[in-house]
Amino acid sequence: MRQVTVVEHLLLRQKERPMASGRFTRLLTELILSAKIIDREVSKAGLLDVLGATGEVNIQGEVVQKLDDFANQVIIRRMERAGVLCAMVSEENADFIEIPRQFPVGDYILIFDPLDGSANIDANVSIGTIFSIYRRTSFEQQAVSVGDLLQKGSMQVAAGYIIYGSSTMMVYTAGNGVHGFTLDPSVGEFLLSHPDIKIPERGRIYSVNEGYSSYWDEPTRNIVNYFKASDNATGRPYSTRYIGSLVSDFHRNLIYGGIFMYPADSRDARKPSGKLRLMCEAAPMAMIAEQAGGLATDGTQRIMDIEPQELHQRVPLFIGSKNDVEVVLKFYADAAKS
Ligand code: AHM
Ligand code: MG
């Protein structure tokens, strides 16, 4: 059987739009190449650690960088030359990244988390790159400002992730369904393996870091108790599955059905809105969830409708199967009434 590569898939989409300039395809092609480079290094992570421990240097004679810095640099250096972006926002950089003057610019904005869940890397746990693409709305000749970047999730042109797992996959949406491609390392191509992914309406899994339950608000505690309670009609109790790596937890729930939660947490006064970032993590995952038939909320508001006030704003996140996220909305709505 002849399998469609991700670039062929993008070109087919481009052909369906006679006015398309090919810049979006160019952007994603460059991002895919970045992902392949990151994948190559992630798959050698243990090996690089061994080499580092013996005091050896890598083949270029350089000290091996931490992988999340490496991933960040790969994406920035490749994408700034692509000629299609006007700015980038990385979870690793406090400020937004401008395109150096010597390179051509375009009107796309790339927001990304280069290696999410990288705290797990030494234990060989799956990690991922998350991306989100917007278009600037202001006049193109003006310098880009933070205001150009603070767009709500519903303005996203596309969103996706690459999961470096037992196999490496890219999952993305450009607003017409969610498609998954698996990297065939023997040919170095992402091949269409999961066309038009739909998340089951109801799952059997809840994913949350329950170690922090004493720091949660009351609705969140009640929600988790609900998923743990026994009820044949709704298939409860659900199973707990929590990896601590958003891309992996989300991807598993996307395929099997379920809900992922990173709620508000009173443990750290600086993080009353939980840990995850609205723009780099929650909004792109929300677009994928919705395109797959699921939902994403902060408890009361649709994630995609939240207007960001700052680049690294955090937000509580409840995301996954439609029926399961509706349970969350109901608990929060009931709490607001009482
Ligand atoms: P990171 O962006 O620093 O990698 O942190 C985000 C990660 C997510 O992948 C994961 O869902 C979460 O942190 C886990 O946090 P915790 O260890 O508090 O459960
Ligand atoms: Mg992250």
Side-chain angles (χ1 to χ4, degrees):
M1 194 184 82
R2 188 183 176 283
Q3 284 176 299
V4 177
T5 70
V6 64
V7 175
E8 284 172 334
H9 194 266
L10 287 166
L11 288 170
L12 282 176
R13 179 186 175 275
Q14 192 186 311
K15 271 198 200 132
E16 285 164 11
R17 299 166 184 229
M19 300 301 282
S21 65
R23 288 182 189 189
F24 177 75
T25 305
R26 165 116 192 87
L27 195 173
L28 275 192
T29 307
E30 204 60 44
L31 198 56
I32 290 162
L33 184 51
S34 308
K36 288 183 193 170
I37 295 169
I38 297 167
D39 177 65
R40 186 187 64 198
E41 297 304 305
V42 167
S43 65
K44 290 190 297 196
L47 192 58
L48 295 176
D49 275 346
V50 172
L51 292 175
T54 59
E56 291 186 41
V57 290
N58 72 10
I59 199 155
Q60 283 90 27
E62 296 159 348
V63 176
V64 175
Q65 282 179 296
K66 275 178 68 185
L67 271 171
D68 40 11
D69 281 346
F70 174 84
N72 197 33
Q73 291 307 321
V74 168
I75 296 175
I76 294 171
R77 298 293 162 241
R78 290 212 75 85
M79 299 311 298
E80 69 185 5
R81 289 167 169 77
V84 293
L85 296 177
C86 59
M88 288 180 264
V89 177
S90 166
E91 193 190 276
E92 298 291 328
N93 296 52
D95 297 320
F96 72 86
I97 302 152
E98 289 179 79
I99 306 302
R101 278 171 177 271
Q102 68 264 37
F103 302 128
V105 294
D107 64 349
Y108 284 108
I109 296 160
L110 174 67
I111 302 187
F112 63 98
D113 183 350
L115 216 47
D116 184 68
S118 56
N120 295 299
I121 201 160
D122 288 346
N124 233 329
V125 169
S126 302
I127 50 180
T129 298
I130 307 172
F131 63 90
S132 165
I133 299 165
Y134 292 83
R135 273 194 128 115
R136 73 181 290 188
T137 50
S138 63
F139 182 52
E140 269 190 50
Q141 301 306 316
Q142 291 166 357
V144 180
S145 70
V146 179
D148 290 314
L149 311 176
L150 296 175
Q151 298 186 38
K152 58 185 177 183
S154 59
M155 301 292 285
Q156 287 173 107
V157 174
Y161 56 81
I162 294 96
I163 178 167
Y164 311 101
S166 46
S167 58
T168 296
M169 268 190 83
M170 174 176 164
V171 173
Y172 94 101
T173 179
N176 56 347
V178 179
H179 308 289
F181 302 82
T182 303
L183 182 65
D184 180 341
S186 66
V187 290
E189 292 280 9
F190 282 97
L191 302 174
L192 181 62
S193 52
H194 296 64
D196 203 16
I197 301 172
K198 293 289 175 217
I199 186 168
E201 273 210 343
R202 170 181 288 135
R204 287 178 168 270
I205 292 170
Y206 75 93
S207 317
V208 69
N209 189 339
E210 224 167 333
Y212 301 150
S213 59
S214 57
Y215 304 110
W216 296 342
D217 59 24
E218 207 185 319
T220 300
R221 277 206 287 272
N222 291 337
I223 288 159
V224 172
N225 285 337
Y226 171 90
F227 288 123
K228 288 158 73 169
S230 170
D231 176 53
N232 279 342
T234 50
R236 291 179 286 140
Y238 283 14
S239 286
T240 316
R241 293 283 184 275
Y242 189 75
I243 300 169
S245 177
L246 173 64
V247 175
S248 314
D249 279 308
F250 177 87
H251 184 71
R252 182 206 49 241
N253 292 1
L254 180 68
I255 303 296
Y256 296 152
I259 182 165
F260 172 90
M261 301 173 260
Y262 208 111
D265 175 334
S266 64
R267 168 183 39 145
D268 184 334
R270 291 164 306 171
K271 297 178 188 169
S273 299
K275 180 179 181 186
L276 300 179
R277 277 75 165 196
L278 174 60
M279 299 199 71
C280 298
E281 296 168 325
M285 292 311 202
M287 183 176 183
I288 298 166
E290 288 193 5
Q291 284 288 321
L295 292 174
T297 177
D298 68 352
T300 54
Q301 205 181 353
R302 180 181 172 230
I303 293 290
M304 299 267 275
D305 285 339
I306 300 174
E307 299 266 5
Q309 303 301 309
E310 47 178 319
L311 294 177
H312 297 289
Q313 181 173 332
R314 294 171 200 260
V315 71
L317 179 64
F318 301 86
I319 188 167
S321 291
K322 181 172 167 288
N323 292 2
D324 298 333
V325 178
E326 279 170 355
V327 167
V328 172
L329 293 169
K330 184 166 181 336
F331 271 99
Y332 272 95
D334 289 350
K337 277 185 231 149
S338 58

